[in-house]
């Protein structure tokens, strides 16, 4: 195998040891005759925060990385350290994929397309009149963009930082039209009027267990979409399914964002069906290990 067919990639974020992104890229590379080595750069393990991004980006360039995936809490913090942004990343103000090529750091956002593609495949007929979204961070900005692209009429965004929710809503209205998004001032009232709920915070992850909102705000007529995929069934999804809600787990978004990132990193077209199968196999192995 030639040196040209070897590709070094990495993931920067906190608490990412269980991420399935590295094995997904390596497995798809193997299927395409590419030797991909994908490293996790876990800020928690290193005792670092987003302030280390300049050092980590420079190190990746010097070591010959072809690109990096970026996750919580760095999707917005990484932007000042890049040379250019794709139109989607610039519009969203969040980056999850950085291509390192020809001395340039170019940021992209494949999260929004990943969520949209998963939603289209799994909840194609879901009502989209009014939707509540929890979380206005980097992933939340991408999901909000996806939801309005999918035709959601009005999106109410709730965040621990109301100013951040208002900023995301303002940006969405500038792109999609006045009145399409707003910061939620009354979560209970918005939930009562909603067709669906999109959850975009770390709550529910293995390191952040719990529900992101009171269970009493859920009702059977809602659909509930999750972006957390480890565990694949969060407490929110369990509560929603007990009520009879239609649900969408975070696995599809994880796979389809990786599909587009793989194309950006390698210039090759990946096989989404193969990547979905491998993602499911990884989940089965994780479940067996836990048992």
């Amino acid at each position: 195998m030639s040196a040209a067919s070897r590709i070094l990639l990495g993931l920067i974020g906190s608490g990412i040891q269980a991420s399935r992104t590295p094995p997904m890229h390596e497995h798809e590379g193997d299927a395409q005759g590419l030797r991909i080595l994908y490293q996790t750069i876990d800020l928690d393990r290193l005792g670092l925060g987003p302030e280390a991004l300049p050092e980590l980006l420079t190190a990746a360039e010097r070591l010959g990385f072809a690109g990096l995936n970026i996750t919580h809490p760095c999707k917005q913090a990484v932007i000042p350290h890049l040379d250019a942004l794709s139109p989607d990343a610039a519009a969203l103000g969040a980056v999850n994929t950085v291509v390192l090529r020809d001395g340039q750091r170019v940021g992209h956002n494949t999260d929004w397309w990943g969520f949209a593609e998963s939603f289209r495949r799994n909840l194609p007929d879901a009502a989209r009149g009014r939707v509540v979204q929890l979380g206005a961070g980097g992933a939340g900005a991408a999901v909000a963009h996806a939801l309005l692209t999918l035709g959601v009429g009005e999106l109410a965004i709730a965040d621990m930082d109301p100013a951040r929710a208002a900023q995301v809503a303002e940006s969405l209205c500038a792109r999609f039209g006045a009145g399409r998004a707003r910061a939620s001032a009354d979560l209970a009232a918005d939930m009562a009027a909603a067709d669906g709920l999109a959850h975009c915070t770390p709550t529910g992850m293995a390191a952040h267990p719990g529900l992101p909102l009171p269970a009493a705000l859920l009702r059977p007529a809602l659909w509930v979409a999750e972006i957390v995929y480890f565990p694949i069934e969060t407490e929110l999804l369990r509560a929603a399914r007990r009520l009879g809600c239609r649900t969408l787990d975070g696995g599809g978004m994880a796979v389809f964002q990786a599909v587009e990132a793989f194309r950006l990193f390698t210039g090759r077209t990946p096989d989404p069906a193969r990547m979905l199968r491998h993602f499911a196999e990884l989940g089965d192995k994780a479940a067996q290990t836990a048992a």
Side-chain angles (χ1 to χ4, degrees):
M1 185 173 291
S2 69
S5 62
R6 297 189 182 100
I7 298 174
L8 184 59
L9 302 174
L11 172 65
I12 297 177
S14 295
I16 56 175
Q17 292 305 307
S19 173
R20 296 180 196 169
T21 295
M24 276 198 291
H25 280 273
E26 291 179 345
H27 184 269
E28 184 61 20
D30 288 344
Q32 300 220 17
L34 298 173
R35 174 57 64 201
I36 292 178
L37 177 61
Y38 197 117
Q39 302 282 75
T40 55
I41 304 166
D42 192 329
L43 299 182
D44 288 351
R45 288 273 180 105
L46 295 171
L48 300 173
E51 70 280 354
L53 281 167
E55 177 187 354
L56 294 174
L57 288 165
T58 297
E61 288 174 320
R62 290 174 176 171
L63 291 170
F65 278 66
L68 298 162
N69 282 127
I70 309 293
T71 190
H72 177 78
C74 300
K75 291 182 180 184
Q76 292 159 323
V78 74
I79 290 176
H81 311 295
L82 305 179
D83 297 302
L85 297 175
S86 70
D88 287 339
L92 296 174
V95 164
N96 78 312
T97 301
V98 176
V99 176
L100 303 173
R101 188 173 298 145
D102 300 325
Q104 294 288 297
R105 306 167 176 175
V106 181
H108 300 262
N109 190 299
T110 70
D111 279 333
W112 85 265
W113 184 84
F115 180 88
E117 187 65 11
S118 179
F119 195 100
R120 279 191 288 258
R121 290 180 180 228
N122 295 287
L123 294 174
D125 59 345
R128 305 173 198 183
R130 293 179 176 178
V131 174
V132 171
Q133 177 175 306
L134 304 179
V143 170
H145 180 90
L147 288 168
L148 294 192
T149 300
L150 290 164
V152 166
E154 181 187 79
L155 183 66
I157 304 171
D159 192 88
M160 292 180 65
D161 181 352
R164 184 163 69 167
Q167 183 179 17
V168 170
E170 182 180 357
S171 176
L172 290 164
C173 289
R175 299 198 301 277
F176 291 94
R180 293 291 300 280
R182 59 180 173 79
S184 174
D186 186 336
L187 181 59
D190 287 331
M191 286 293 293
D195 297 307
L197 171 68
H199 174 234
C200 307
T201 84
T203 302
M205 292 175 65
H208 303 279
L211 284 170
L213 82 173
L217 297 183
L218 301 174
R219 64 188 197 289
L222 284 171
W223 54 260
V224 177
E226 175 71 90
I227 68 165
V228 172
Y229 72 84
F230 189 81
I232 198 70
E233 185 179 64
T234 60
E235 292 186 44
L236 173 62
L237 291 185
R238 276 198 298 276
R241 287 168 181 162
R242 280 197 296 268
L243 289 172
C245 301
R246 298 175 68 188
T247 60
L248 176 65
D249 65 50
M253 179 180 177
V255 172
F256 289 111
Q257 66 80 21
V259 165
E260 181 62 9
F262 185 94
R263 186 188 66 79
L264 290 167
F265 289 145
T266 69
R268 302 279 190 93
T269 300
D271 183 333
R274 181 166 56 214
M275 293 181 74
L276 282 166
R277 287 194 301 272
H278 184 236
F279 182 88
E281 291 168 5
L282 290 168
D284 292 341
K285 289 177 183 176
Q288 290 168 6
T289 300

